[in-house]
């Protein structure tokens, strides 16, 4: 392809150069004005690390989260941790800070003191039927023992020792202390969130907005920190420290970390790029000529990001550094070729016309290919691909426009004041291309060896593509862990110990229609969680009523034996000394049911009718906590009240004959026996109900449950998604929502998008190469060069045992676009200059390609400052891939040209055009 053949390129270049010569100043001023507006927009841009924004807007998990937020608002808690050696001081400060938190407009509610009066009054209702019957039996035995002792008093032999009324290990002394100790009465609900014997006290607050609202989180933390300081913690105790902990503090820290990493990486890349430009061109003026238009294009892309999205996601957060490396290529190629043409003696307009007509056209082809690849990324559902591709495409378009307008305008303005002079030893004369000659045979041998080595490594990589594993555990893609800090944390008491570590697991929320459905779902999940592992494994037998517990399980503490008849009110004590009373049918039935505790009732089994045995097994294995308003409403209250009333009647009937010590103890026990009516949701204390009231003011229309396992592990999260996403209920499916559902949908979208994106990117590469060269040989050579570079990268991943992940997978389509740019420049320059100019092409274009490779590597190296293993894998894959693309362009492509030319001439077919 000769210069005269490029009529369109010549006409376009001539007209553009004419415009630039007349309006150079205007072009630069317009570019600067647009940049100022873009800088103002970009200054408002933020980084959002929430994984949910990487999903498409119509993703089921995202729609559920939106529904959850619409109904309930925020579910994350702000934690204020109070530490000092004095529990009393901690409690006083906790009360003070809780009052301030409750008064804040950005807080929905706060929790500090959980008043237990209601639950103390109704404590016995929260015991199991088994425990209540056991308590009743022990009360009966104790009463009998004391009445018998009183009856025998005065009849003993004077020489005999008095029969003690004391107790053995199975006896019950009717005291509140033993009631608490034996049955856990009043111990299930802590009064405060505390740990380490009160040296750590926690206050929980529920803000109105979630942690994803960065500006809200920042203002909230600032305000709460001011409240903490205003109370002067050291005035409560000299050693008191008060900190904000939990998800809000973590999110704020993460945002600062990513922002800091991004700024450091961008600054480092920028400084290195300036240094490389100065070394390569050896002229100070080259730096602003290349960098100012480049920075214009980047801020335009960032300004567009603010208008289009308002944020950058985790993948696109380092787009500035990446565009520095990608966009600078155009300026280097243009300025390098312009410098070469000026050194050959052409005046400024002619040198610029030749540059734009030749290198400018190949640069635009490379840009078109790169833009095409990035636009292909926009077709992906995975927004990490889509946003990165869109912003990169906008940045490359802006860079391409700037390199054809602002760069020549800058050169024109500078040269008018200070003409370009060739450096010592660099002035060259343009000479016509030598006649086509067959390359020496030894060069063909060298070329064949290069192709054999490169092809052999590519073949090895291709054979091992199926062996490349995918990283499903997002924990291994997150921030680089501080192992020492993690080890230290294991030995420290934290707020998680105070509020319960299970309460720090990411929650999933079932969104119910009404209280009846809430109770149905709550009982379903509680029953699934409460199954023994053996019951879950043999749930088919449980369902059919054929389950038999294994011997080990059968050795559980025996259920209460059939108790005696209820006490009568007639005061007849004639039969009090009998050892055995007839079974009352009511209590016999309750005792029989208690003996079967652990077996599901018919009502419970009916709830599982729509659930397969395998699904029940997964539910049992997965569930760690079930929480709803019905967690505070006990089951079988009417049956329990029958037992409680009988205990109360028996004690009241025999109270007069009990010992003085027992009567004294009963004063504290009586408060537990006064309960005489079931409790419902409306009876619960306000501090309980406020936690289960949604934004519409409705009470209890949700069930929170938490699961075992890391939610950052795809396999764990996928199992939870498949098991709990829709829960068959009495009135249709009950939807659930939670961040745990994001991970499986995210990776599923990557798996679905990757083959399509890579295939389309390869198609773009082939079509743009063919459009430029108009020959299959040219398009094939360029495509083969890039494909080999990609396969080499895969080979390195196999050898180093690197796993693919949804960060570094983006490297492959990026590499197709960037690698084609290198190959297109080289092949286009070779076809333009002629067969005999391989050394000059390698020296001039190869040098420019090396420089653009170096700058691209520097751009991606900016990501190496990120404290994030996923982004680090993207950076290293890109750096190695770009390096391979350079090697393929200056080794494989010349080898292909040399060998094909030698073979064509040797067998008399003539060399292909340009090669």
């Amino acid at each position: 392809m000769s210069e005269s053949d490029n009529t369109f390129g010549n006409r376009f270049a001539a007209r553009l150069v004419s415009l630039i010569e007349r309006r150079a100043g205007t072009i630069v001023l317009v570019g600067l004005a647009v940049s100022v507006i873009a800088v103002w927009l970009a200054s408002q841009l933020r980084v959002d690390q929430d994984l949910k924004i990487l999903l498409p807007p119509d993703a089921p998990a995202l729609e559920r989260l939106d529904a959850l937020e619409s109904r309930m608002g925020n579910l994350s808690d702000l934690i204020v941790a109070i530490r000092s050696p004095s529990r009393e001081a901690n409690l006083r400060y906790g009360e003070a800070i809780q009052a301030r938190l409750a008064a804040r407009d950005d807080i929905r509610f706060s929790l500090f003191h959980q008043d237990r009066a209601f639950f103390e009054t109704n404590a016995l209702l929260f015991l199991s039927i088994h425990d209540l019957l056991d308590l009743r039996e022990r009360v009966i035995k104790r009463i009998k023992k004391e009445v018998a002792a009183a009856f025998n008093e005065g009849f003993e032999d004077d020489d005999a020792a008095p029969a003690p009324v004391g107790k053995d290990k199975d006896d019950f002394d009717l005291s509140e202390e033993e009631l608490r100790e034996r049955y856990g009465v009043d111990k299930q609900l802590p009064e405060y969130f505390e740990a380490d014997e009160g040296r750590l006290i926690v206050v929980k607050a529920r803000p109105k907005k979630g942690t994803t609202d960065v500006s809200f989180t920042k203002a909230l933390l600032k305000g709460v920190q001011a409240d903490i300081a205003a109370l002067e913690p050291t005035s409560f105790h000299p050693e008191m420290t008060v900190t904000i902990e939990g998800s809000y503090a973590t999110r704020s820290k993460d945002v600062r970390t990513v922002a800091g990493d991004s700024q450091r990486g961008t600054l480092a890349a920028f400084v290195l790029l300036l240094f490389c430009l100065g070394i390569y061109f050896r002229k100070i003026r080259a730096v602003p000529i290349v960098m100012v238009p480049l920075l214009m294009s980047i801020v335009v892309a960032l300004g567009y990001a603010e208008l289009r999205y308002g944020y950058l996601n985790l993948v696109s957060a380092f787009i500035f550094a990446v565009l520095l490396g990608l966009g600078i290529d155009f300026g280097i190629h243009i300025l390098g070729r312009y410098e070469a043409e000026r050194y050959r003696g052409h005046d400024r307009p002619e040198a610029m016309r030749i540059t734009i007509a030749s290198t400018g056209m190949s640069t635009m082809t490379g840009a078109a290919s790169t833009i095409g690849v990035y636009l292909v990324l926009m077709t992906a559902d995975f927004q990490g691909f889509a946003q990165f591709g869109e912003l990169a495409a906008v940045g490359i378009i802006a860079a391409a426009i700037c390199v054809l307008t602002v760069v020549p305008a800058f050169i024109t303005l500078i040269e008018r004041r200070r003409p370009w002079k060739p450096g010592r030893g660099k002035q060259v004369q343009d000479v016509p291309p030598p006649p086509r000659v067959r390359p020496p045979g030894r060069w063909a041998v060298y070329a064949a060896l290069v192709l054999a080595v490169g092809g052999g490594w590519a073949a090895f990589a291709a054979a091992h593509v199926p062996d490349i594993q995918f990283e499903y555990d997002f924990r291994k893609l997150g921030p680089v862990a501080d192992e020492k800090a993690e080890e230290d944390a294991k030995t420290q008491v934290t707020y998680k110990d105070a509020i319960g570590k299970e309460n720090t697991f990411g929650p999933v929320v079932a969104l119910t229609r009404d209280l009846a459905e809430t109770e149905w779902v709550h009982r379903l999940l509680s029953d699934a969680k409460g199954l023994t592992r053996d019951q879950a494994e043999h749930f088919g037998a449980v369902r059919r009523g054929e389950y038999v517990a294994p011997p080990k399980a059968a050795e559980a503490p025996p259920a209460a034996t059939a108790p005696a008849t209820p006490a009568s009110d007639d005061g007849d004590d004639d039969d009090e000394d009998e050892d055995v009373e007839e079974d009352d049918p009511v209590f016999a039935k309750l005792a029989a049911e208690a003996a079967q505790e652990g077996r599901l009732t018919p009502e419970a089994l009916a709830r599982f009718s729509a659930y397969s045995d395998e699904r029940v097994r997964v539910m049992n294995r997965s569930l760690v906590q079930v929480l709803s308003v019905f967690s505070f409403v006990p089951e079988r209250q009417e049956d329990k009240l029958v037992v409680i009333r009988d205990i109360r009647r028996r004690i009241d009937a025999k109270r007069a004959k009990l010992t003085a010590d027992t009567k004294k103890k009963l004063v504290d026990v009586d408060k537990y026996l006064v309960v005489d009516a079931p409790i419902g949701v409306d009876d619960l204390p306000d501090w309980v109900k406020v936690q289960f009231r949604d934004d519409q003011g409705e009470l209890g229309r949700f069930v929170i449950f938490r699961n075992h396992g890391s939610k950052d592990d795809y396999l764990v999260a996928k199992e939870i998604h498949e098991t709990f996403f829709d829960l068959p209920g009495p009135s249709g499916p009950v939807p659930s929502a939670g961040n745990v559902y994001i991970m499986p949908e995210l990776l599923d979208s990557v798996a679905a998008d990757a083959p399509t994106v890579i295939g389309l990117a390869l198609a773009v590469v082939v079509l743009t190469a063919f459009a430029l060269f108009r020959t299959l040989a040219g398009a094939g050579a360029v495509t083969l060069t890039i494909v080999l570079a990609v396969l080499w990268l895969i080979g390195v991943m196999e050898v180093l045992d690197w796993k693919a992940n949804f960060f570094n997978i983006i490297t492959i389509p990026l590499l197709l676009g960037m690698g084609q740019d290198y190959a297109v420049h080289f092949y286009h320059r070779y076809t333009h200059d002629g067969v005999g100019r391989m050394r000059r092409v390698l020296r001039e274009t190869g040098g420019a390609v090396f420089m653009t490779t170096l700058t691209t590597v520097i751009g991606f190296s900016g990501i190496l400052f990120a404290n994030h293993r996923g982004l680090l894998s993207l950076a290293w894959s890109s750096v190695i891939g770009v390096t391979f693309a350079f090697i393929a362009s200056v080794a494989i492509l010349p080898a292909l040209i040399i060998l094909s030319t030698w073979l064509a001439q040797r067998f008399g077919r003539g060399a292909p055009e340009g090669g």
Side-chain angles (χ1 to χ4, degrees), residues 439 443-448 450-451 781-782 785 788 792 822-823 825-827 830 835 837-839 841-843 845-846 849 885-902 914-915:
W443 290 110
V445 173
Y446 296 157
V450 169
L451 291 174
V782 168
T785 301
L788 286 177
W792 292 350
Y822 301 161
H825 274 292
F826 191 95
Y827 196 83
Y830 181 79
V835 173
R837 303 289 180 89
M838 181 63 76
R839 289 187 178 180
V841 172
L842 281 171
R843 182 180 65 250
T845 302
V849 169
F886 166 73
I887 294 172
S889 296
V890 298
I892 296 297
L893 186 54
L896 280 172
I897 294 172
I898 290 171
L899 187 60
S900 62
T901 302
W902 184 84

Side-chain angles (χ1 to χ4, degrees), residues 293-294 296-302 304 319-331 362-375 377 388-405 814 817-818 820-821 856 860:
L294 172 61
M296 288 180 179
S297 65
I298 293 174
V299 296
V300 165
L302 295 177
Y304 173 85
I319 192 69
F320 193 107
V322 173
L323 286 177
L324 274 176
L326 293 175
I328 201 172
D329 296 2
F330 304 153
S362 60
T363 297
M364 291 304 102
T365 300
S369 174
T370 304
I371 292 167
V373 169
Y374 289 140
L375 291 177
L377 290 178
F388 186 97
E390 183 176 352
L391 300 185
V394 170
I396 297 300
I397 291 171
I401 294 173
C402 285
V403 85
L404 288 183
T405 56
L814 293 183
M818 293 182 295
Q820 192 218 33
D821 187 50
T856 302
F860 278 105

Side-chain angles (χ1 to χ4, degrees), residues 169 270 407 435 515 548 714 724 738 756-757 785-786 872 886 903:
K169 65 179 182 178
F270 185 75
V407 168
L515 279 174
V548 178
Y714 168 83
F724 297 97
T756 303
V757 167
T785 301
I786 304 162
L872 290 175
F886 166 73
L903 289 173

Side-chain angles (χ1 to χ4, degrees), residues 25-311:
T26 302
I27 292 172
V28 172
L29 288 176
V30 170
L32 291 174
V34 171
S35 299
V36 169
I37 297 173
V39 167
W40 175 74
L41 289 171
S43 66
Q44 304 173 57
L45 198 59
R46 60 185 175 86
V47 177
D48 192 337
Q49 300 177 70
D50 198 331
L51 289 180
K52 73 179 184 182
I53 65 172
L54 298 178
L55 286 172
D58 60 347
L62 203 55
E63 292 178 345
R64 292 283 178 86
L65 285 174
D66 290 341
L68 176 64
E69 185 175 353
S70 174
R71 179 185 292 194
M72 298 180 56
N74 165 52
L75 284 176
S76 299
D77 288 330
L78 180 139
I79 304 295
V80 177
I82 309 161
R83 294 178 174 86
S84 86
S86 170
R87 181 176 187 269
E88 291 71 23
N90 292 343
L91 290 175
R92 283 188 288 109
Y93 185 89
E95 185 176 3
I97 191 64
Q98 191 268 341
R100 281 184 171 258
L101 292 174
R104 292 185 62 88
D105 293 335
D106 47 11
I107 297 291
R108 283 179 60 196
F109 64 84
S110 57
L111 294 175
F112 171 59
H113 178 225
Q114 302 182 105
D115 186 359
R116 298 189 300 181
F118 174 84
F119 295 98
E120 287 177 353
T121 302
N122 298 283
L124 294 184
L125 289 176
F126 290 88
L127 296 186
S128 67
I129 289 288
H130 176 282
D131 283 344
L132 278 174
L133 289 171
D134 183 72
L135 172 62
R136 176 178 175 272
E137 183 72 10
R138 294 178 187 279
V139 167
I140 291 172
K141 288 181 179 179
R142 182 69 187 186
I143 289 174
K144 278 190 174 187
K145 193 170 187 177
E146 293 204 12
V147 170
F151 181 78
N152 292 325
E153 188 175 350
F155 292 94
E156 299 93 341
D157 188 344
D158 292 339
D159 296 329
V165 182
K167 62 171 186 170
D168 56 34
K169 65 179 182 178
D170 294 322
D171 203 359
F172 182 71
D173 69 356
L174 299 180
S175 70
E176 180 184 23
E177 180 181 355
E178 184 163 354
L179 196 63
R180 290 171 178 264
E181 181 180 343
R182 187 181 292 273
Y183 300 108
V185 172
D186 202 27
K187 287 186 177 181
Q188 299 174 353
L189 184 69
E191 190 172 7
Y192 298 98
F193 302 110
E194 58 182 306
D196 195 20
E197 298 180 341
R199 286 186 282 270
L200 169 62
I201 299 285
V202 161
V203 180
K204 293 169 60 176
R206 181 69 54 82
K208 292 183 177 179
K209 295 184 179 180
T211 60
T212 55
D213 190 327
V214 178
S215 58
F216 173 83
T217 299
K218 185 177 180 180
L220 172 69
L221 293 178
K222 183 178 179 181
V224 173
Q225 197 64 58
D227 288 335
I228 291 171
L231 290 174
E232 299 181 1
T234 53
S235 66
F236 289 78
H237 192 282
E239 299 180 35
M240 180 177 288
T241 60
V242 182
T243 56
I244 301 175
E245 300 181 24
S247 56
Y248 284 87
T250 302
R251 174 53 61 93
S252 179
K253 179 182 177 181
D254 290 345
V255 168
R256 292 194 304 270
T257 298
V258 171
D261 291 344
S262 177
Q263 292 168 3
R264 286 190 295 273
T266 299
L267 180 61
F270 185 75
V271 171
L272 284 174
L273 288 174
L274 293 180
F275 178 76
C276 291
L277 283 175
I279 295 296
Y280 181 73
F281 288 106
R282 300 182 186 178
K283 293 182 182 297
I284 297 298
R285 72 173 76 178
V287 175
I289 288 174
V290 174
M291 292 304 297
V292 172
L294 172 61
L295 293 175
M296 288 180 179
S297 65
I298 293 174
V299 296
V300 165
L302 295 177
Y304 173 85
E306 169 60 23
L307 289 174
R308 176 79 166 83
Y309 295 101
Y311 62 86

Side-chain angles (χ1 to χ4, degrees), residues 1-3 5-6 772-774 828 831-833 913-914:
M1 184 186 295
S2 66
E3 186 175 324
D5 295 329
N6 189 11
L772 178 64
F773 300 117
R774 308 290 176 88
H828 185 268
T831 57
H832 182 271
D833 285 5
E913 181 183 355

Side-chain angles (χ1 to χ4, degrees), residues 272-540:
L272 284 174
L273 288 174
L274 293 180
F275 178 76
C276 291
L277 283 175
I279 295 296
Y280 181 73
F281 288 106
R282 300 182 186 178
K283 293 182 182 297
I284 297 298
R285 72 173 76 178
V287 175
I289 288 174
V290 174
M291 292 304 297
V292 172
L294 172 61
L295 293 175
M296 288 180 179
S297 65
I298 293 174
V299 296
V300 165
L302 295 177
Y304 173 85
E306 169 60 23
L307 289 174
R308 176 79 166 83
Y309 295 101
Y311 62 86
L312 297 175
N313 62 43
L314 194 57
V315 178
S316 61
F318 288 81
I319 192 69
F320 193 107
V322 173
L323 286 177
L324 274 176
L326 293 175
I328 201 172
D329 296 2
F330 304 153
I332 289 173
H333 281 297
I334 292 294
L335 186 59
R337 182 61 185 268
Y338 175 80
E339 184 183 46
E341 296 305 325
R342 288 289 279 145
Y343 289 161
R344 293 190 177 95
H346 297 297
D347 62 12
R348 184 183 69 245
E350 180 62 14
M352 188 60 70
R353 185 194 66 78
I354 295 173
T355 297
I356 293 175
S358 55
T359 302
M361 291 300 100
S362 60
T363 297
M364 291 304 102
T365 300
S369 174
T370 304
I371 292 167
V373 169
Y374 289 140
L375 291 177
V376 163
L377 290 178
M378 291 176 59
T379 65
D381 286 332
F382 175 52
Q383 295 303 295
F385 287 170
Q387 191 190 63
F388 186 97
E390 183 176 352
L391 300 185
V394 170
I396 297 300
I397 291 171
I401 294 173
C402 285
V403 85
L404 288 183
T405 56
V406 179
V407 168
F410 258 121
I411 292 174
T412 299
L413 293 177
I414 291 174
E415 280 229 62
R416 284 175 181 172
R417 298 180 59 85
R418 189 176 179 185
W420 201 286
K421 295 180 181 179
R424 181 178 299 177
K426 293 189 72 173
Q427 188 165 4
V428 295
Q429 297 295 323
D430 200 16
V431 295
R436 294 175 182 265
V437 294
R438 188 173 70 203
R442 67 177 184 276
W443 290 110
V445 173
Y446 296 157
L449 288 174
V450 169
L451 291 174
V453 172
W457 180 248
F460 165 82
H464 286 82
V465 166
D467 298 334
I468 300 295
Q469 297 180 344
F470 198 88
E471 182 57 78
Y472 289 107
D473 191 345
F474 199 75
R475 290 173 299 178
K476 298 178 182 178
L477 300 177
V480 179
D482 185 339
E483 295 182 2
K484 184 177 184 303
E486 288 185 349
E487 287 299 319
D488 292 343
K490 292 179 181 178
T491 62
Q492 296 175 354
V493 177
T494 69
Y495 76 92
K496 295 181 180 180
D497 298 294
I499 67 174
K501 292 188 177 180
E502 70 277 3
N503 289 315
T504 64
F505 296 172
V508 184
V509 182
L511 300 171
T512 56
R513 299 171 180 84
D514 50 41
L515 279 174
E517 192 168 69
T518 298
E519 183 174 14
W520 194 96
V521 173
H522 178 92
R523 304 305 181 201
L524 168 82
L525 297 178
S526 296
D527 287 340
K529 174 180 175 293
L531 292 171
T532 66
R533 185 56 53 87
D534 190 69
Q535 285 176 316
E537 291 299 321
H538 301 89
F539 194 74

